[in-house]
Amino acid sequence: MVKCHYCEREAVVRLPYAKLNLCREHFAEYLLRKLERSVNRYKMFGKGSRVVVGVSGGKDSVTLTKLLSESGLAKMLVVHVNLAIGEYSRISVETVRRFSVEHGLDYLIVDLSEYGIGIPELVAKTKRSPCSVCGMVKRYVLNALTMDLGYDALATAHHGDDMAVYIVKSFLLQDYDQLYKISPVNYEVPGLAARKVKPLYEFYEFEVETFAKLYGLPFVSVKCPFKHVGWLESYVRELLDRAEEESPGFKVSLLRSHARRTMSMRSAEQAQPKACASCGLISSGTECSFCRFTRRALGQPMGLVVRRWIIGKA
Ligand code: FES
Ligand code: ZN
Ligand code: ZN
């Protein structure tokens, strides 16, 4: 039996980058400390802040929410955007509801099908890939909600393995706009954009998944039917996994160096923030991408409709 580094119990997880074997309890304690350190290191939000947590119902978002609620660092509102992707969305909504009720958390489900802006409807009317439409819609709704309900920050559950892949992929594509946007903290733009934070920025995916399983958290394990991983992403992921195996901790040092650079810069959009002519939130052109996209797909920009719904919930 391999013993826990801190006690006599049996270790259930090994963290190669920290050279630690840990029992269930000390693993949870370790992750909680890691979460608090990340929140403080990157000055994500102050103790007692009001934070919206975007929860898809997957292992990453339920782990983030559970750890944040255990830490007592923030007053949270769990928000799930129902994308109206058939059975997948039905299971996701139920999981988020069950998880929130079991943990006594305030939650809000934003139902896009009410406005005919479910992902399948939108995708049928355009040539854009479902995942890029979905990402844009979720970003819009969560930003609007955090702004309109007056919360201090929006937390999402992006973990380090994915962040490292996006950094390297954006570099290979020489997409510097994207590269500079990848950050543990994206600062607020008063009146236009909420502060966005990624408390799991330095977490490995295996830590997140092991925690969710060890603590029996309900999470959605079916994949979204639209999910598609391109060849470049698979290639970069494999490369980074190899690097991590050769040199445990490689990904976290990459993430930290990247954060040091990007946090001292602002993306072009944030340096010269503009307001969308239709909905008033942040935009790189005259109209934000959500309003522009819904105008093309449905004949009218939907930003203000969504914002009115949100304000009705306040
Ligand atoms: Fe967004 Fe699948 S969850 S496209
Ligand atoms: Zn222990
Ligand atoms: Zn808009």
PDB file of all heavy atoms in Angstrom, residues 4-10 21-27, ligand 2:
ATOM      1  N   CYS A   4      -0.289   7.969   2.229  1.00  0.00           N
ATOM      2  CA  CYS A   4      -0.431   9.407   1.996  1.00  0.00           C
ATOM      3  C   CYS A   4       0.800  10.127   2.548  1.00  0.00           C
ATOM      4  O   CYS A   4       1.353   9.718   3.570  1.00  0.00           O
ATOM      5  CB  CYS A   4      -1.695   9.896   2.698  1.00  0.00           C
ATOM      6  SG  CYS A   4      -1.848  11.687   2.764  1.00  0.00           S
ATOM      7  N   HIS A   5       1.212  11.166   1.875  1.00  0.00           N
ATOM      8  CA  HIS A   5       2.387  11.935   2.295  1.00  0.00           C
ATOM      9  C   HIS A   5       2.178  12.565   3.687  1.00  0.00           C
ATOM     10  O   HIS A   5       3.127  12.781   4.423  1.00  0.00           O
ATOM     11  CB  HIS A   5       2.640  13.035   1.256  1.00  0.00           C
ATOM     12  CG  HIS A   5       3.840  13.867   1.530  1.00  0.00           C
ATOM     13  ND1 HIS A   5       5.114  13.446   1.219  1.00  0.00           N
ATOM     14  CD2 HIS A   5       3.972  15.099   2.093  1.00  0.00           C
ATOM     15  CE1 HIS A   5       5.970  14.388   1.592  1.00  0.00           C
ATOM     16  NE2 HIS A   5       5.307  15.398   2.106  1.00  0.00           N
ATOM     17  N   TYR A   6       0.921  12.863   4.014  1.00  0.00           N
ATOM     18  CA  TYR A   6       0.663  13.601   5.262  1.00  0.00           C
ATOM     19  C   TYR A   6       0.081  12.770   6.399  1.00  0.00           C
ATOM     20  O   TYR A   6      -0.020  13.254   7.517  1.00  0.00           O
ATOM     21  CB  TYR A   6      -0.310  14.759   4.993  1.00  0.00           C
ATOM     22  CG  TYR A   6       0.260  15.800   4.058  1.00  0.00           C
ATOM     23  CD1 TYR A   6      -0.259  15.952   2.773  1.00  0.00           C
ATOM     24  CD2 TYR A   6       1.326  16.615   4.445  1.00  0.00           C
ATOM     25  CE1 TYR A   6       0.268  16.888   1.898  1.00  0.00           C
ATOM     26  CE2 TYR A   6       1.856  17.557   3.584  1.00  0.00           C
ATOM     27  CZ  TYR A   6       1.324  17.691   2.307  1.00  0.00           C
ATOM     28  OH  TYR A   6       1.845  18.617   1.446  1.00  0.00           O
ATOM     29  N   CYS A   7      -0.427  11.539   6.090  1.00  0.00           N
ATOM     30  CA  CYS A   7      -1.029  10.750   7.170  1.00  0.00           C
ATOM     31  C   CYS A   7      -0.843   9.262   6.920  1.00  0.00           C
ATOM     32  O   CYS A   7      -0.177   8.864   5.956  1.00  0.00           O
ATOM     33  CB  CYS A   7      -2.506  11.119   7.332  1.00  0.00           C
ATOM     34  SG  CYS A   7      -3.540  10.488   6.011  1.00  0.00           S
ATOM     35  N   GLU A   8      -1.436   8.445   7.761  1.00  0.00           N
ATOM     36  CA  GLU A   8      -1.238   7.000   7.688  1.00  0.00           C
ATOM     37  C   GLU A   8      -2.172   6.326   6.686  1.00  0.00           C
ATOM     38  O   GLU A   8      -2.077   5.136   6.430  1.00  0.00           O
ATOM     39  CB  GLU A   8      -1.481   6.369   9.084  1.00  0.00           C
ATOM     40  CG  GLU A   8      -0.451   6.784  10.130  1.00  0.00           C
ATOM     41  CD  GLU A   8       0.967   6.419   9.720  1.00  0.00           C
ATOM     42  OE1 GLU A   8       1.179   5.247   9.347  1.00  0.00           O
ATOM     43  OE2 GLU A   8       1.846   7.310   9.718  1.00  0.00           O
ATOM     44  N   ARG A   9      -3.136   7.100   6.160  1.00  0.00           N
ATOM     45  CA  ARG A   9      -4.124   6.490   5.258  1.00  0.00           C
ATOM     46  C   ARG A   9      -3.517   6.109   3.907  1.00  0.00           C
ATOM     47  O   ARG A   9      -2.453   6.614   3.536  1.00  0.00           O
ATOM     48  CB  ARG A   9      -5.296   7.460   5.042  1.00  0.00           C
ATOM     49  CG  ARG A   9      -6.279   7.473   6.214  1.00  0.00           C
ATOM     50  CD  ARG A   9      -7.457   8.366   5.890  1.00  0.00           C
ATOM     51  NE  ARG A   9      -7.046   9.749   5.830  1.00  0.00           N
ATOM     52  CZ  ARG A   9      -7.451  10.693   6.693  1.00  0.00           C
ATOM     53  NH1 ARG A   9      -8.268  10.394   7.669  1.00  0.00           N
ATOM     54  NH2 ARG A   9      -7.032  11.930   6.565  1.00  0.00           N
ATOM     55  N   GLU A  10      -4.262   5.291   3.183  1.00  0.00           N
ATOM     56  CA  GLU A  10      -3.809   4.873   1.858  1.00  0.00           C
ATOM     57  C   GLU A  10      -3.946   6.031   0.866  1.00  0.00           C
ATOM     58  O   GLU A  10      -4.956   6.737   0.861  1.00  0.00           O
ATOM     59  CB  GLU A  10      -4.661   3.679   1.390  1.00  0.00           C
ATOM     60  CG  GLU A  10      -4.165   3.138   0.078  1.00  0.00           C
ATOM     61  CD  GLU A  10      -4.909   1.883  -0.358  1.00  0.00           C
ATOM     62  OE1 GLU A  10      -5.870   1.473   0.334  1.00  0.00           O
ATOM     63  OE2 GLU A  10      -4.517   1.336  -1.400  1.00  0.00           O
ATOM     64  N   ASN A  21       1.931  11.686  -2.962  1.00  0.00           N
ATOM     65  CA  ASN A  21       0.840  10.713  -2.976  1.00  0.00           C
ATOM     66  C   ASN A  21      -0.109  11.158  -1.873  1.00  0.00           C
ATOM     67  O   ASN A  21       0.340  11.435  -0.752  1.00  0.00           O
ATOM     68  CB  ASN A  21       1.356   9.310  -2.651  1.00  0.00           C
ATOM     69  CG  ASN A  21       2.317   8.830  -3.705  1.00  0.00           C
ATOM     70  OD1 ASN A  21       2.029   8.867  -4.900  1.00  0.00           O
ATOM     71  ND2 ASN A  21       3.500   8.401  -3.272  1.00  0.00           N
ATOM     72  N   LEU A  22      -1.414  11.224  -2.169  1.00  0.00           N
ATOM     73  CA  LEU A  22      -2.332  11.773  -1.173  1.00  0.00           C
ATOM     74  C   LEU A  22      -3.573  10.904  -0.977  1.00  0.00           C
ATOM     75  O   LEU A  22      -4.058  10.261  -1.910  1.00  0.00           O
ATOM     76  CB  LEU A  22      -2.792  13.177  -1.590  1.00  0.00           C
ATOM     77  CG  LEU A  22      -1.693  14.238  -1.711  1.00  0.00           C
ATOM     78  CD1 LEU A  22      -2.267  15.533  -2.273  1.00  0.00           C
ATOM     79  CD2 LEU A  22      -1.021  14.498  -0.364  1.00  0.00           C
ATOM     80  N   CYS A  23      -4.083  10.919   0.269  1.00  0.00           N
ATOM     81  CA  CYS A  23      -5.347  10.250   0.561  1.00  0.00           C
ATOM     82  C   CYS A  23      -6.473  11.188   0.115  1.00  0.00           C
ATOM     83  O   CYS A  23      -6.217  12.351  -0.240  1.00  0.00           O
ATOM     84  CB  CYS A  23      -5.466   9.948   2.052  1.00  0.00           C
ATOM     85  SG  CYS A  23      -5.639  11.426   3.054  1.00  0.00           S
ATOM     86  N   ARG A  24      -7.706  10.681   0.170  1.00  0.00           N
ATOM     87  CA  ARG A  24      -8.855  11.454  -0.323  1.00  0.00           C
ATOM     88  C   ARG A  24      -8.957  12.817   0.376  1.00  0.00           C
ATOM     89  O   ARG A  24      -9.087  13.847  -0.261  1.00  0.00           O
ATOM     90  CB  ARG A  24     -10.100  10.606  -0.064  1.00  0.00           C
ATOM     91  CG  ARG A  24     -11.397  11.160  -0.543  1.00  0.00           C
ATOM     92  CD  ARG A  24     -12.454  10.093  -0.269  1.00  0.00           C
ATOM     93  NE  ARG A  24     -13.790  10.538  -0.599  1.00  0.00           N
ATOM     94  CZ  ARG A  24     -14.597  11.171   0.256  1.00  0.00           C
ATOM     95  NH1 ARG A  24     -14.178  11.452   1.464  1.00  0.00           N
ATOM     96  NH2 ARG A  24     -15.811  11.526  -0.137  1.00  0.00           N
ATOM     97  N   GLU A  25      -8.832  12.815   1.712  1.00  0.00           N
ATOM     98  CA  GLU A  25      -9.009  14.055   2.479  1.00  0.00           C
ATOM     99  C   GLU A  25      -7.888  15.052   2.201  1.00  0.00           C
ATOM    100  O   GLU A  25      -8.133  16.240   2.020  1.00  0.00           O
ATOM    101  CB  GLU A  25      -9.067  13.770   3.997  1.00  0.00           C
ATOM    102  CG  GLU A  25     -10.374  13.139   4.463  1.00  0.00           C
ATOM    103  CD  GLU A  25     -10.557  11.690   3.994  1.00  0.00           C
ATOM    104  OE1 GLU A  25      -9.541  11.044   3.631  1.00  0.00           O
ATOM    105  OE2 GLU A  25     -11.711  11.221   3.967  1.00  0.00           O
ATOM    106  N   HIS A  26      -6.634  14.548   2.193  1.00  0.00           N
ATOM    107  CA  HIS A  26      -5.528  15.487   1.970  1.00  0.00           C
ATOM    108  C   HIS A  26      -5.479  15.986   0.526  1.00  0.00           C
ATOM    109  O   HIS A  26      -4.978  17.082   0.264  1.00  0.00           O
ATOM    110  CB  HIS A  26      -4.195  14.866   2.411  1.00  0.00           C
ATOM    111  CG  HIS A  26      -4.021  14.947   3.902  1.00  0.00           C
ATOM    112  ND1 HIS A  26      -4.016  13.854   4.724  1.00  0.00           N
ATOM    113  CD2 HIS A  26      -3.915  16.041   4.708  1.00  0.00           C
ATOM    114  CE1 HIS A  26      -3.900  14.255   5.982  1.00  0.00           C
ATOM    115  NE2 HIS A  26      -3.834  15.582   6.009  1.00  0.00           N
ATOM    116  N   PHE A  27      -6.025  15.184  -0.384  1.00  0.00           N
ATOM    117  CA  PHE A  27      -6.116  15.640  -1.780  1.00  0.00           C
ATOM    118  C   PHE A  27      -7.084  16.818  -1.866  1.00  0.00           C
ATOM    119  O   PHE A  27      -6.782  17.850  -2.478  1.00  0.00           O
ATOM    120  CB  PHE A  27      -6.590  14.467  -2.659  1.00  0.00           C
ATOM    121  CG  PHE A  27      -6.812  14.834  -4.102  1.00  0.00           C
ATOM    122  CD1 PHE A  27      -5.812  15.428  -4.856  1.00  0.00           C
ATOM    123  CD2 PHE A  27      -8.029  14.552  -4.710  1.00  0.00           C
ATOM    124  CE1 PHE A  27      -6.023  15.753  -6.202  1.00  0.00           C
ATOM    125  CE2 PHE A  27      -8.251  14.873  -6.053  1.00  0.00           C
ATOM    126  CZ  PHE A  27      -7.246  15.480  -6.789  1.00  0.00           C
TER     127      PHE A  27
HETATM  128 ZN    ZN B   2      -3.672  11.922   4.190  1.00  0.00          ZN
END
